Amino acid sequence: MENSNMHGEKMSLINELAQGRELARQLQIHLNVPSSSHGTRESLVQKIIVSYEKALSMLNSSSSASGGEQQLPTGHAAIRMIESPPTSLNGSPRSEDSDREFKDQDNKDSSRKRKTLPRWTQQIRVTSGMGLEGPLDDGFSWRKYGQKDILGAKYPRGYYRCTHRNAQCCLATKQVQRSDEDPTVFEITYRGRHTCTQASTSTTSAPPLPPPQNSMDIVDPQQNQQQPQDLLLTIPQGLTVVTEGLDAGDQELFPYNPLNHNYGGHFSPPFMGPTTSGTQYLSVSEQGFGGGGQSFQGAECEIPEILSSATSANNSPIAAAALGFPFGQADQNLYPNFSFDGPGFFPHSY
DNA sequence: GTTATTTGACCGTC
DNA sequence: GACGGTCAAATAAC
C-alpha cells in the first residue's frame, strides 16, 4: 500500500511540476503576445504559483505524515486535510442527503437528478470581525431560493443557487448551515458546478472546488492543495475554512469543476485527498471570503445528460468540456494517468 | 421596473 | 409520517 502511495505521490509530484513547466511556457508565449490580456497573464502566474506550492506541499506532506494532514509551506495559510466522515461540526443532521444520495445512486439511479450531483462541503469559521455573512460571498452570484429549519440544528439552513441558473443553465447550488455549537462556523455544502461564464470571470474570488477524490486516485492524490490554494485568494483573513471532502457519495463526483477555470483559471486536477472524504482547514487573514459553491438542480439544462454521455462516450472533448474538465488534450498529456473511462471516475451515469 | 429575498406549500425519500 | 430540498407567490430592495 505504501509503496503504491509513494509511487502515486511521486507521479503526482512529477505531474504537478510538469504542469508548472507547461504553464510557464504558456506564460512565456503570452508575454510575447501583445494582445494577451493582463488577466490572462495573471492567471497563468497564479496557476504556476499554485502548481509549485502544491508540489512543495506534496514533498512536505510525504515527509511528514500519512495521516492526511498537510501544511502548506507558504505561510499565509494552514491547510489541513482530515479524513473524517462528513458529519457536521455541530452534530446536526448536516446534508443528510449525503448518505441518502449515496444510497440512491447505489440503488436506483437517478430518478432525481439532484441526487447525482457532485457535492462537497466546506466549513468556514469567521474568526474576526467580518459580517457573519461574509463567508457566504465567494465571488459567485448566488440567489437564495429557500431556507429550512433543520432538525437538530439551531440555525436554519439556507439554500442558494447560481443566479445564472436560467440564463446559462448553471446548476451550481449551495447550502449554508450555521454550526450550532459554534455560530462562527458555517458549513457550506456545494452541489454541482458552475457552468456559467461568471465562473470563468471571477478570478478574484475562489469559489470552492469540488474535491474530486476519484480523480485524485486517478490523477494525483495530492493535488488537494489546489482548492485551499484558490481559497486563499479570496478568503478573508481571520477565517478558517474547512473543506469537508466529498461526501460518501462522491464516487459520483467528477473531479473537475468549471470553476477551476475560474480561479486562476485553471484547472487543477484533483485537489482533494486520496480518501473519499476529507476536511480541509484554511486559516486566512481577514478580508472577505466568499464561500462559493455550486450545485445543481435545474432540470431544464441538459448538462446532466451531457455528463451522462460523457461517461459513456469516453474522452469526448465535448463531454469533457461540458463537464468542465479543466484540462484539454494538453492537460491530459500532463496527466497521462487520467482517464474518463475508469469505473471509479464516473461510476454512474449522470 | 427589475431583481433578490422570504416563506409557506409541495414533492421525493426514508 | 417525518424530514430535507425545491418551487413559486408575495414582498422587499435597488
Side-chain angles (χ1 to χ4, degrees):
Chain A
M1 264 299 257
E2 286 210 355
N3 285 338
S4 61
N5 287 339
M6 290 279 286
H7 180 70
E9 289 181 6
K10 182 180 178 181
M11 289 302 296
S12 297
L13 183 59
I14 292 173
N15 287 337
E16 199 57 50
L17 291 172
Q19 184 189 8
R21 181 182 59 187
E22 182 61 29
L23 290 169
R25 286 174 178 169
Q26 291 178 25
L27 176 61
Q28 185 177 39
I29 294 172
H30 279 277
L31 288 174
N32 293 327
V33 178
S35 60
S36 177
S37 69
H38 177 72
T40 300
R41 294 170 185 173
E42 283 291 321
S43 175
L44 286 170
V45 168
Q46 186 58 43
K47 291 176 188 177
I48 293 169
I49 292 172
V50 168
S51 183
Y52 277 90
E53 286 182 337
K54 282 195 290 185
L56 288 170
S57 296
M58 291 176 198
L59 288 172
N60 189 40
S61 62
S62 62
S63 61
S64 59
S66 54
E69 182 164 326
Q70 302 174 349
Q71 297 250 340
L72 281 181
T74 56
H76 58 282
I79 299 171
R80 209 166 26 145
M81 283 192 54
I82 299 175
E83 296 177 24
S84 64
T87 56
S88 82
L89 290 179
N90 49 31
S92 62
R94 109 184 177 72
S95 37
E96 64 313 322
D97 51 352
S98 290
D99 30 309
R100 192 160 67 182
E101 241 171 76
F102 185 67
K103 292 172 184 175
D104 278 2
Q105 295 163 0
D106 235 8
N107 300 333
K108 326 180 180 175
D109 190 73
S110 45
S111 58
R112 298 177 71 187
K113 292 179 182 178
R114 68 185 163 113
K115 298 248 169 200
T116 64
L117 290 177
R119 182 178 58 244
W120 61 101
T121 301
Q122 276 195 343
Q123 291 175 345
I124 300 173
R125 179 190 298 277
V126 181
T127 58
S128 66
M130 52 183 303
L132 289 180
E133 297 306 315
L136 305 184
D137 176 17
D138 53 11
F140 281 86
S141 298
W142 295 101
R143 180 170 184 167
K144 190 174 186 178
Y145 66 88
Q147 179 169 301
K148 193 96 177 171
D149 287 326
I150 300 302
L151 190 69
K154 287 181 184 176
Y155 304 98
R157 176 179 297 170
Y159 297 88
Y160 300 81
R161 64 181 164 220
C162 181
T163 301
H164 307 294
R165 182 194 181 208
N166 294 329
Q168 298 182 37
C169 254
C170 182
L171 304 179
T173 64
K174 71 173 178 181
Q175 298 174 4
V176 178
Q177 176 73 60
R178 197 166 171 178
S179 172
D180 287 352
E181 296 178 355
D182 187 351
T184 64
V185 173
F186 288 84
E187 186 170 306
I188 303 175
T189 299
Y190 297 97
R191 281 185 176 178
R193 305 160 185 283
H194 280 281
T195 57
C196 57
T197 55
Q198 162 189 235
S200 56
T201 56
S202 61
T203 56
T204 56
S205 61
L209 302 178
Q213 67 183 96
N214 288 333
S215 59
M216 203 53 137
D217 294 336
I218 297 171
V219 184
D220 175 356
Q222 294 287 337
Q223 310 231 354
N224 29 5
Q225 246 74 52
Q226 174 63 34
Q227 176 170 5
Q229 206 56 37
D230 288 332
L231 285 172
L232 292 179
L233 299 178
T234 55
I235 292 174
Q237 300 183 347
L239 287 183
T240 296
V241 178
V242 179
T243 298
E244 242 177 44
L246 349 169
D247 50 13
D250 288 339
Q251 296 293 340
E252 304 238 42
L253 293 183
F254 345 103
Y256 299 121
N257 189 321
L259 286 181
N260 291 351
H261 293 292
N262 295 340
Y263 317 153
H266 79 308
F267 112 70
S268 311
F271 38 84
M272 225 32 196
T275 58
T276 57
S277 68
T279 300
Q280 296 177 340
Y281 291 91
L282 267 189
S283 291
V284 227
S285 30
E286 117 169 69
Q287 267 246 347
F289 140 69
Q294 10 340 102
S295 94
F296 129 89
Q297 104 131 184
E300 14 346 54
C301 298
E302 303 186 273
I303 301 275
E305 281 69 35
I306 293 174
L307 295 181
S308 179
S309 299
T311 62
S312 57
N314 299 339
N315 302 331
S316 165
I318 295 175
L323 287 169
F325 275 95
F327 36 82
Q329 293 182 341
D331 288 320
Q332 286 184 20
N333 290 334
L334 294 176
Y335 298 87
N337 294 332
F338 177 84
S339 69
F340 289 91
D341 52 8
F345 199 61
F346 289 123
H348 303 287
S349 64
Y350 246 75

